[in-house]
Amino acid sequence: MSTFDVTKSIGLETIEHRESRLLAPYAVHSADSRGRQYHEPNHPYRGPFQRDRDRIIHTAAYRRLSAKTQVFTGEMGDYHRTRLTHTHEVASIARTIARALRLNEDLVEALALLHDIGHPPFGHSGEDVLDECLEGEGRFSHNDQALRIVELLEIRYHDFTGLNLSHETLDGQRFRTEKTSEKFRPSLEAQAVDAADSIAYDSHDADDALELGLLCLDDLHSVRLWREAVGHVRSEMAALDESSLRRAVVHQLIDWQVSDLLHDSSERLAEFAFSNANEARLSDPVIRQSSGLVEMKTELEQFLFRHVYRHPGVVADRDLAQAALREIFAVYHRREGLLPKSYRSRIGSAGLRRTICDYLTGMTDRFAWREHRRLCDPDEV
Ligand code: MG
């Protein structure tokens, strides 16, 4: 039985009809999609953004996020977030926002699952090394790299490179590459994912740092956002041990930030009364938190920067990882014949340094360490 026959036989509602019932006029509707670079017929029961989400999930780059550092490396423990679990947490928060504001949940989910897919091993420390390795030839950013992966590097189809994602999904990621430029105006769905990313990492980096013993609860008492969240939890649940209090505070932090965002964004949406997604996209940012909360979040971020991201244990790990990545890059740069054949064939069009960066980006932390031992210290293998 063909997919078309299945749709008819079980009487499925069309995507267009379903979205017209559930989504607001300012949401991106599948029926208005500008399509894909290479034309493909519509799927009978999966919308274009559902298909984008599924294509992203089935990439090697997505699976490898499970063994890539978010902030803390695997050697530090087994409680904290990896790049993959962070991605899921962003998707979960972003979908909550999308559903409450009647945005396109499929597009939001695709964008959330895509947003960090371009991260190299070792988190932002790895990104800094690759940027340094490309000096004089261009820049390296994980946001741009996500686009290279889904437009060029993943080979899943006969007729074209990349995933042939919808223009709306690619545009949402493009906005992340140049947030301050007027060039890429984000859909409300892209704004929701950006907000969810920052809500997730602020709350979870604090939680992970506490579990790993890099901070204690008293340290965070100087941060107003944290202090007020503790006050709220204590007013509802008086006697909590330390770890129960921590979990309740992290939950409260996320709930508070999402609620504030929904409240403020709903007021703007009511005021602007957009009649379609394009009007919303061209307006000033809509999906954002109140200025009071943004101020408190900034204070928490500054605290995390000083006390967590610059913690001696984190910095020591970062220095070792950065040195290893530089050494791997140098070996491939001297002996390009050591690169896998599929990458060597790209040197002519992309250049040697960019090709090495593409290869290194695809590595998990684990694979990068193994390559380092193999290439730079063969006696250790
Ligand atoms: Mg992220």
Side-chain angles (χ1 to χ4, degrees):
M1 184 175 274
S2 73
T3 48
F4 182 68
D5 290 337
V6 169
T7 313
K8 281 202 300 186
S9 70
I10 60 174
L12 271 182
E13 184 182 20
T14 65
I15 302 296
E16 290 74 14
H17 189 259
R18 184 171 187 278
E19 289 186 353
S20 69
R21 271 193 310 110
L22 296 175
L23 304 189
Y26 48 72
V28 174
H29 289 241
S30 299
D32 300 327
S33 171
R34 288 166 18 246
R36 306 171 188 276
Q37 183 180 358
Y38 303 99
H39 175 74
E40 293 180 41
N42 288 336
H43 190 278
Y45 53 83
R46 286 190 305 146
F49 309 126
Q50 262 181 290
R51 294 172 85 185
D52 288 351
R53 176 203 60 199
D54 297 346
R55 290 175 189 198
I56 294 161
I57 285 178
H58 288 98
T59 58
Y62 179 78
R63 289 193 296 279
R64 288 179 184 144
L65 296 177
S66 68
K68 290 191 181 191
T69 291
Q70 172 67 14
V71 174
F72 310 106
T73 61
E75 281 69 39
M76 297 179 81
D78 57 7
Y79 171 88
H80 57 268
R81 275 81 184 168
T82 63
R83 191 62 63 180
L84 184 67
T85 58
H86 161 72
T87 296
H88 280 275
E89 286 165 344
V90 172
S92 158
I93 294 170
R95 285 186 57 162
T96 297
I97 295 169
R99 192 171 298 185
L101 297 178
R102 297 169 60 216
L103 300 175
N104 193 317
E105 274 185 64
D106 290 332
L107 177 57
V108 156
E109 192 177 12
L111 289 172
L113 299 183
L114 173 62
H115 91 282
D116 268 353
I117 211 172
H119 256 289
F122 313 131
H124 288 285
S125 348
E127 180 169 30
D128 291 344
V129 169
L130 297 191
D131 192 39
E132 173 193 306
C133 292
L134 279 176
E135 204 184 333
E137 282 190 22
R139 305 299 308 261
F140 182 90
S141 113
H142 72 275
N143 286 319
D144 287 317
Q145 191 68 17
L147 288 168
R148 275 181 78 73
I149 289 169
V150 297
E151 292 188 300
L152 193 66
L153 298 175
E154 284 276 342
I155 308 289
R156 301 188 57 82
Y157 300 96
H158 288 302
D159 302 334
F160 44 77
T161 61
L163 308 180
N164 200 30
L165 298 179
S166 307
H167 290 298
E168 291 73 17
T169 301
L170 295 172
D171 285 350
Q173 180 63 25
R174 240 168 235 128
F175 146 70
R176 297 182 66 81
T177 67
E178 278 188 64
K179 276 191 196 164
T180 50
S181 136
E182 284 288 299
K183 214 158 102 195
F184 305 117
R185 305 298 292 266
S187 59
L188 300 183
E189 283 78 1
Q191 294 177 38
V193 172
D194 198 44
D197 188 24
S198 119
I199 291 171
Y201 63 65
D202 281 347
S203 314
H204 293 145
D205 289 354
D207 182 41
D208 287 350
L210 286 165
E211 173 69 23
L212 291 169
L214 304 178
L215 294 176
C216 65
L217 285 173
D218 287 348
D219 295 332
L220 277 155
H221 202 67
S222 64
V223 179
R224 190 171 146 216
L225 188 69
W226 184 271
R227 201 167 56 240
E228 292 199 8
V230 171
H232 180 86
V233 169
R234 289 248 189 250
S235 71
E236 301 218 321
M237 294 172 272
L240 288 177
D241 63 35
E242 215 168 79
S243 65
S244 304
L245 175 66
R246 189 185 85 216
R247 279 193 293 275
V249 170
V250 171
H251 177 233
Q252 171 62 22
L253 273 182
I254 294 176
D255 198 55
W256 180 10
Q257 292 182 74
V258 172
S259 303
D260 177 274
L261 178 137
L262 291 178
H263 180 263
D264 252 55
S265 307
S266 301
E267 281 190 345
R268 270 186 292 278
L269 287 167
E271 183 192 333
F272 295 141
F274 302 118
S275 59
N276 59 54
N278 209 37
E279 267 181 28
R281 191 175 63 82
L282 296 173
S283 144
D284 288 338
V286 174
I287 311 298
R288 52 190 168 86
Q289 291 160 325
S290 64
S291 53
L293 196 75
V294 169
E295 206 176 294
M296 286 195 276
K297 255 171 84 65
T298 305
E299 190 200 354
L300 172 63
E301 286 170 2
Q302 288 167 345
F303 176 91
L304 291 172
F305 184 77
R306 284 195 306 274
H307 299 279
V308 176
Y309 310 141
R310 289 262 178 98
H311 186 281
V314 174
V315 171
D317 259 20
R318 184 196 68 191
D319 291 349
L320 285 174
Q322 288 195 318
L325 211 51
R326 275 189 202 102
E327 286 173 23
I328 303 173
F329 182 92
V331 171
Y332 284 127
H333 196 251
R334 277 197 311 275
R335 301 174 62 193
E336 62 187 56
L338 292 175
L339 284 165
K341 194 174 162 200
S342 56
Y343 281 87
R344 283 203 309 274
S345 65
R346 295 182 23 78
I347 295 174
S349 55
L352 177 58
R353 289 183 193 214
R354 179 67 71 180
T355 301
I356 301 171
C357 284
D358 286 340
Y359 183 48
L360 293 184
T361 303
M363 294 182 181
T364 58
D365 294 7
R366 193 170 50 227
F367 187 83
W369 280 121
R370 207 161 61 219
E371 278 297 272
H372 183 254
R373 283 194 299 277
R374 186 176 75 83
L375 296 169
C376 307
D377 197 358
D379 293 343
E380 286 289 311
V381 178

